[in-house]
Amino acid sequence: MPAAKEIRTKIKSVKNTQKITKAMEMVAASKMRKAQQRMQASVPYAEKIRTVIGHVAEANPDPRHPFLVGHPEIKKVGYIIVSTDRGLCGALNVNSFRTAMEAIEKDREAGREVSVCLIGTKGITFFRRLGMDIMSSTSQLGDAPKLSDLIGTVKVMLDAYAEGKLDQLKLVHAEFVNTMSQKPMVKQLLPIEAEDSEDLQDNWDYIFEPSAEALLDGLVMRYIEAQVYRGAVENVACEMAARMVAMKSASENAGTLINDLQLIYNKARQAAITQEISEIVSGAEAV
C-alpha cells in the first residue's frame, strides 16, 4: 500500500487539476453564450441574401452566373473544413474529420480529385499529416472570428471554381443542436442550389446599377462568405459547448478520484496507527 505522504501529494495534485477544469468549464459557458448570440445574429443576413440572389437570378435568367450553374461533369471537388485551434473539446474535431473523410472517400471512389481549404489549427495538422492537397488555410481566428480574416482563404477556392479548377465546393463544420449535442454537417456551397421559385415573392422590381451581372456577382460572393462565416461562428459555439461538457465531466471524474484516494489514505493511516499500537503493546510486554 502506498505511503500516506504519497497519497496526500496525489490528492493535492488532483484537487489542483479539479480547480482548473472547473474554471475552464465556467469560462467556456460564458463564451458559449456570446458565441450563440453571434451565431444567431448571422442567420437573418445569410437567409435574406439568398432570397435576393434568387430574385435577381430569376429576373435575369441570361447570362447565368458561373456560381449558379453546375459543371456538366464533376471531376474535382473542394472542401472548406472548419475545425478548432485548441483541444480539450471532446470529440468535436474527431467527428467533423470523420464526416469529412467519409465524404472525401465517396468522391475518390467516384474518380474525383479532392482539394481542401482548412480553417483551424487542428484541421491543418490532421489533413497535412494525411498528405491532402491543401489549397489554402488559416488559423488563430480566436473566439470571435472576423469575416476579414476568412475572405482571403475562401477567395482562393472561389477563384479556383471560377477558373474551372474545381467543379464543386462543399463546407464542413459542426452544427449546434443544443448544449449537449453538436453534429458535423456537409453542405454544398457551389454551385449554389437554386431556391424554390415558390418560396420567392410573386412580384418584385429591381433597378440595377451598373448592371444586373455586376450586382449578382457581388451578391454571390457575399453569400458564400456569409455561409463560411456562419459556419465558423457556429463551430465556435459548438467548441465552447463541447469544452464546457468535457470540463464538467473532468471535474466530476476528479471528484470521484479524490474520494477514492481519500479512502485509500484513510486505510493507510489506519494501518499505520494499528501497526504503531501493536509495536507499543509488544514493547510493553517485552519490558
Side-chain angles (χ1 to χ4, degrees):
M1 183 176 289
K5 184 178 180 180
E6 294 178 3
I7 299 173
R8 284 200 305 269
T9 302
K10 288 183 179 179
I11 291 175
K12 184 178 180 180
S13 176
V14 175
K15 283 184 176 180
N16 290 336
T17 302
Q18 188 183 42
K19 290 178 182 178
I20 295 173
T21 55
K22 282 185 176 180
M24 292 181 68
E25 177 189 348
M26 290 186 288
V27 171
S30 175
K31 289 183 177 181
M32 182 190 68
R33 285 190 288 270
K34 295 179 181 178
Q36 280 182 291
Q37 293 172 358
R38 286 190 292 269
M39 178 185 70
Q40 292 168 355
S42 68
V43 173
Y45 174 82
E47 292 180 348
K48 192 63 178 179
I49 196 171
R50 180 178 176 84
T51 302
V52 173
I53 290 174
H55 287 167
V56 176
E58 287 290 326
N60 296 271
D62 189 44
R64 300 287 289 177
H65 193 280
F67 287 177
L68 299 173
V69 180
H71 294 180
E73 187 177 0
I74 299 176
K75 294 182 179 180
K76 299 178 181 178
V77 181
Y79 284 85
I80 299 176
I81 302 173
V82 184
S83 62
T84 68
D85 287 320
R86 295 170 294 172
L88 299 177
C89 52
L92 181 69
N93 288 317
V94 174
N95 292 335
S96 293
F97 296 159
R98 183 185 296 115
T99 300
M101 288 306 300
E102 288 174 355
I104 289 172
E105 287 303 319
K106 288 181 180 178
D107 284 323
R108 284 176 170 173
E109 290 174 1
R112 300 165 183 162
E113 297 180 17
V114 176
S115 300
V116 296
C117 164
L118 304 172
I119 299 174
T121 303
K122 293 297 181 180
I124 295 172
T125 303
F126 179 81
F127 287 97
R128 184 175 290 164
R129 190 166 56 245
L130 294 179
M132 296 287 293
D133 178 22
I134 302 175
M135 296 186 68
S136 62
S137 64
T138 185
S139 60
Q140 305 303 325
L141 299 179
D143 299 328
K146 296 180 180 178
L147 183 59
S148 58
D149 297 330
L150 294 169
I151 289 177
T153 304
V154 175
K155 193 174 186 303
V156 172
M157 304 302 282
L158 299 183
D159 290 344
Y161 185 90
E163 295 168 4
K165 297 178 181 178
L166 293 176
D167 301 314
Q168 194 177 57
L169 182 61
K170 299 178 182 179
L171 175 65
V172 182
H173 66 88
E175 181 184 16
F176 188 92
V177 180
N178 53 52
T179 305
M180 300 299 295
S181 178
Q182 305 85 37
K183 64 179 183 179
M185 65 177 298
V186 181
K187 63 181 178 182
Q188 181 176 309
L189 284 180
L190 295 176
I192 298 175
E193 297 176 332
E195 188 171 0
D196 192 346
S197 58
E198 294 181 359
D199 295 334
L200 301 175
Q201 289 178 235
D202 293 333
N203 298 300
W204 62 85
D205 185 21
Y206 290 112
I207 298 175
F208 301 107
E209 290 184 6
S211 66
E213 292 77 12
L215 177 63
L216 186 58
D217 184 64
L219 284 173
V220 169
M221 292 291 288
R222 299 293 85 76
Y223 170 74
I224 299 299
E225 292 168 359
Q227 290 297 317
V228 177
Y229 174 74
R230 177 182 174 183
V233 171
E234 188 168 5
N235 204 81
V236 171
C238 293
E239 176 189 357
M240 296 307 165
R243 180 170 293 121
M244 184 186 71
V245 173
M247 292 302 100
K248 179 178 175 62
S249 177
S251 299
E252 292 174 351
N253 291 338
T256 302
L257 183 57
I258 290 171
N259 292 336
D260 293 342
L261 288 173
Q262 191 67 50
L263 182 60
I264 295 173
Y265 172 75
N266 293 339
K267 289 182 178 179
R269 185 166 174 270
Q270 184 179 14
I273 293 172
T274 302
Q275 184 177 358
E276 289 177 4
I277 293 174
S278 299
E279 290 175 354
I280 293 172
V281 172
S282 299
E285 290 179 351
V287 172

